[in-house]
Amino acid sequence: MASYLQERKTVTGNTLAALYKKQEKITMLTCYDASFASLMDLCGVEILLIGDSLGMVCQGKDSTLPVSIEEVAYHTECVANGNKTAMIVADMPFGTYPTPEAAYENAAELIKAGAHMVKIEGGRWLEDTIRFLTERAIPVCGHLGLTPQSVHQFGGYRVQGKTEEDAERIIEDAKILQDAGASIFVLEAIPSQLGKRVTEAISVPTIGIGAGPDCSGQVLVMHDMLNVYPGKKARFVRNFMEGQTTIEGAIKAYVAAVKDGTFPAEEHCF
């Protein structure tokens, strides 16, 4: 049996640091309820992310922007009720971290609901906020590249970091936010080479979604990897239900593919 499917201890920041040190890929999936939390935990997923993607895949909205802190807290509590050992990371929704003080008040609600860490989208402008949170015992996951809460500013869901100037800015943002206390990063929809450069430039794990195979781990939206969400799929999505007869089989296939480096393949990269 693969080591990640054997009886495991609670996944903590130290666990992730150990995986990062020995260069074992880290697995993350979005999760929104107790039943899937229990199943993903059983299948060896290290991190369960309560993404504000719930606005689209659970609520049927056309973006993540309308999601509220109360809604994320509700889904976080559901996930926490079903989880035993995985780390739980909860998204900070749009408009909930305009100042460090506001960020702390909202992040505290997610921690009380059962999150072990919060995720915040944005670059160096979040330096003071991340420092404020981590100094007050709230671990932070950064999110760079395509940040869906900035969809209107970006003019759509577009690959980021394609020019050298933009690439250098993202690398510098990662360094600044790491120094401020961010302990892990999600890198979304950036060229594979930039994913590699960011990963090499910092000393904490990177979790890629359309950021290439050289990140420290990978994440997908659960509804995408199970081929449930309707409509056109992003390039970085792979249907893990293909060839499987159960959802459990699909999740185990995802974990195995991330761990052995067969996902993402070249066709999933920019």
Side-chain angles (χ1 to χ4, degrees):
M1 180 182 291
S3 61
Y4 53 84
L5 294 179
Q6 295 173 6
E7 188 70 28
R8 69 176 181 184
K9 298 178 181 178
T10 300
V11 177
T12 66
N14 290 337
T15 310
L16 300 184
L19 293 174
Y20 172 76
K21 185 175 181 180
K22 66 180 181 178
Q23 297 185 314
E24 180 179 329
K25 298 293 187 181
I26 298 165
T27 58
M28 176 191 282
L29 282 173
T30 64
C31 190
Y32 314 97
D33 65 37
S35 295
F36 273 99
S38 179
L39 182 58
M40 289 180 187
D41 184 34
L42 178 70
C43 292
V45 179
E46 277 103 15
I47 307 174
L48 309 182
L49 172 65
I50 297 85
D52 54 8
S53 50
L54 70 89
M56 301 173 76
V57 299
C58 295
Q59 299 173 339
K61 295 170 181 173
D62 61 4
S63 78
T64 65
L65 300 179
V67 174
S68 69
I69 193 73
E70 291 80 12
E71 289 166 339
V72 176
Y74 167 79
H75 286 276
T76 299
E77 184 175 358
C78 292
V79 169
N81 287 341
N83 177 56
K84 289 184 178 180
T85 66
M87 174 179 282
I88 298 174
V89 178
D91 261 346
M92 297 280 286
F94 176 73
T96 62
Y97 46 99
T99 64
E101 291 78 12
Y104 177 79
E105 182 177 348
N106 287 310
E109 288 303 308
L110 300 182
I111 298 297
K112 290 175 184 178
H116 305 119
M117 180 182 292
V118 299
K119 181 169 75 64
I120 304 183
E121 296 184 13
R124 66 194 69 186
W125 68 273
L126 287 170
E127 178 181 8
D128 291 343
T129 296
I130 290 175
R131 182 170 289 111
F132 193 90
L133 293 178
T134 55
E135 286 176 347
R136 288 158 180 80
I138 297 180
V140 175
C141 171
H143 186 151
L144 297 170
L146 172 59
T147 47
Q149 291 176 17
S150 302
V151 60
H152 296 320
Q153 186 174 4
F154 289 155
Y157 297 102
R158 303 174 184 274
V159 178
Q160 301 297 304
K162 295 170 74 174
T163 68
E164 182 58 27
E165 181 181 0
D166 287 344
E168 289 290 345
R169 174 181 49 79
I170 290 171
I171 292 169
E172 190 61 25
D173 283 350
K175 291 178 180 178
I176 290 170
L177 298 186
Q178 175 189 252
D179 290 345
S183 53
I184 190 170
F185 286 90
V186 167
L187 304 178
E188 181 169 359
I190 59 175
S192 294
Q193 185 58 33
L194 178 54
K196 184 176 189 290
R197 289 172 64 188
V198 175
T199 301
E200 291 175 347
I202 58 177
S203 56
V204 297
T206 58
I207 308 297
I209 178 166
D214 295 300
C215 295
S216 312
Q218 299 292 327
V219 60
L220 284 176
V221 173
M222 176 190 81
H223 293 70
D224 287 339
M225 58 83 64
L226 295 177
N227 200 34
V228 173
Y229 190 64
K232 183 180 179 182
K233 303 296 187 293
R235 178 170 179 167
F236 50 72
V237 172
R238 173 177 158 187
N239 173 16
F240 281 90
M241 279 301 298
E242 195 170 284
Q244 301 295 327
T245 57
T246 65
I247 290 174
E248 180 179 352
I251 295 172
K252 286 181 177 178
Y254 167 76
V255 173
V258 172
K259 293 288 185 182
D260 67 21
T262 56
F263 177 79
E266 186 175 350
E267 63 263 29
H268 307 117
C269 302
F270 299 106

